[in-house]
Amino acid sequence: MSAAANPTNIAVIAFDGITPFHLSVPCLVFDAGREGGEGGFAVRVCAADGTPLRTSAGFAIATDFDLRALDQADIVIMPSWHNDCRPAPPALLEALRAAHARGARVVGLCLGAFPLAEAGLLDGLAATTHWQFAAALAARYPKVDVDCDVLYVDAGRVLTSAGVAAGLDCCLHLLRGLRGADAANRVARQLVIAPHRQGGQAQFIERPLPVSGSDGRFAGVLEWVTQRLEQAHSIDALAERAAMSRRNFTRHFRQATGTSFKQWLLGQRLAHAQWMLESGDASVEVVAQQAGFGSALSLRQHFRTVLQTSPSAYRASYRR
């Protein structure tokens, strides 16, 4: 049976005072993931309060669904929460608990981790939230292992993410697990964001790749690199290709990506290796060569350091 014939039901919870961008994050990722209606997602925005709902942007929104939409949801997403981290209403907490108890995956993006923690769904698990509120989350819910340094945490049936851009990272990660690397990469390209970012919240990355017209030459160089990951690359050679000085290229690169060229290149190579492992049967040695790691040993070391797994185990987990 196709994904479209048996869709994944996703309930996104809106509330009075929500920030429109937070609400749009899961809707954008999984709507784009439908690929013209063939991605197999049924996304329903449901109201935790009566509609219409006021937003922080000064306009109101309405939805045809209330919290009963969670009864049929395979995935429940809390896209944010109030900045004062107020207690959630009992009806919302009960709906979250009930969805989790019957097997739905529950996702808390940014401050959306607070209602999940209040519902007890994060007890004994690692979780994250926006770095400015991580201490408050840890103090209020001591049973939660709060990690303020990561972009998102996948604890199996419960996922949490850091701030706005990390919500996109988390949703793309979820899409990758549901539909594979090709679908996640396709959606990332549509949204003009990186399919996978290395690093943590300390980078404060809002835009992992340059996208404006004035950055066209610089972006062209990065695209050129991504098509030749198996080759060695130096900052001097790339600066020359971009018609920039080394200093200007380095400064421009960090402003555009929030990280160093070395770390960015490692991230691109890891993402390519992941895609090869997910989508083909090439040996680990071949994957290592084509992704630019040089040897299977180097690939294994980087997988262990960054992803806490081995290439073989990673491939096996996706094949299952």
Side-chain angles (χ1 to χ4, degrees), residues 83-320:
N83 286 343
D84 59 8
C85 304
R86 69 188 65 172
L92 174 57
L93 297 175
E94 190 57 36
L96 290 171
R97 293 187 189 108
H100 181 267
R102 64 172 179 75
R105 297 180 80 178
V106 183
V107 183
L109 305 179
C110 196
L111 299 185
F114 278 80
L116 270 60
E118 188 177 357
L121 304 186
L122 299 179
D123 287 356
L125 300 177
T128 192
T129 189
H130 192 288
W131 63 270
Q132 287 182 308
F133 297 86
L137 183 68
R140 189 178 300 181
Y141 305 105
K143 293 182 180 180
V144 181
D145 181 13
V146 179
D147 186 347
C148 63
D149 293 328
V150 296
L151 295 175
Y152 58 85
V153 174
D154 184 344
R157 285 181 47 221
V158 184
L159 294 83
T160 51
S161 83
V164 175
L168 287 165
D169 292 315
C170 185
C171 287
L172 283 172
H173 166 76
L174 191 55
L175 176 60
R176 187 186 190 97
L178 292 168
R179 297 291 185 266
D182 283 342
N185 292 345
R186 184 161 45 247
V187 170
R189 285 195 297 271
Q190 291 174 8
L191 300 179
V192 199
I193 58 176
H196 178 73
R197 290 192 292 159
Q198 305 299 323
Q201 295 192 60
Q203 297 180 42
F204 306 114
I205 305 173
E206 291 294 331
R207 243 189 348 153
L209 286 177
V211 297
S212 69
S214 62
D215 284 332
R217 185 171 55 193
F218 181 78
V221 170
L222 299 193
E223 178 65 20
W224 183 85
V225 172
T226 62
Q227 300 302 317
R228 297 164 177 80
L229 292 174
E230 76 284 359
Q231 300 179 13
H233 298 285
S234 70
I235 293 179
D236 288 331
L238 296 179
E240 182 178 356
R241 176 172 286 274
M244 296 179 178
S245 67
R246 177 189 174 96
R247 180 179 179 183
N248 190 32
F249 181 87
T250 301
R251 178 181 58 80
H252 200 116
F253 193 95
R254 185 167 288 278
Q255 287 178 345
T257 67
T259 188
S260 67
F261 174 72
K262 180 180 179 180
Q263 286 300 112
W264 176 84
L265 182 59
L266 173 60
Q268 298 298 311
R269 284 173 167 162
L270 279 171
H272 187 66
Q274 288 173 282
W275 174 80
M276 290 187 67
L277 291 167
E278 293 169 24
S279 59
D281 296 312
S283 67
V284 173
E285 289 75 14
V286 171
V287 172
Q289 288 291 335
Q290 294 188 10
F293 288 97
S295 68
L297 176 61
S298 177
L299 176 63
R300 292 188 181 99
Q301 289 174 337
H302 282 100
F303 254 65
R304 180 62 62 186
T305 300
V306 178
L307 302 174
Q308 287 79 53
T309 188
S310 68
S312 298
Y314 182 87
R315 169 178 274 164
S317 69
Y318 271 87
R319 295 300 167 88
R320 286 196 297 271

Side-chain angles (χ1 to χ4, degrees), residues 14-86:
F15 54 88
D16 198 50
I18 194 169
T19 301
F21 189 89
H22 283 115
L23 179 59
S24 72
V25 166
C27 298
L28 281 170
V29 170
F30 293 105
D31 182 68
R34 290 189 303 167
E35 305 164 32
E38 299 179 359
F41 294 105
V43 181
R44 294 183 175 90
V45 175
C46 57
D49 308 288
T51 58
L53 302 172
R54 295 167 297 176
T55 71
S56 63
F59 59 83
I61 58 175
T63 175
D64 295 330
F65 304 99
D66 58 21
L67 291 177
R68 286 175 292 183
L70 274 64
D71 295 342
Q72 304 300 321
D74 302 297
I75 299 170
V76 175
I77 300 178
M78 196 79 221
S80 65
W81 191 237
H82 299 278
N83 286 343
D84 59 8
C85 304
R86 69 188 65 172

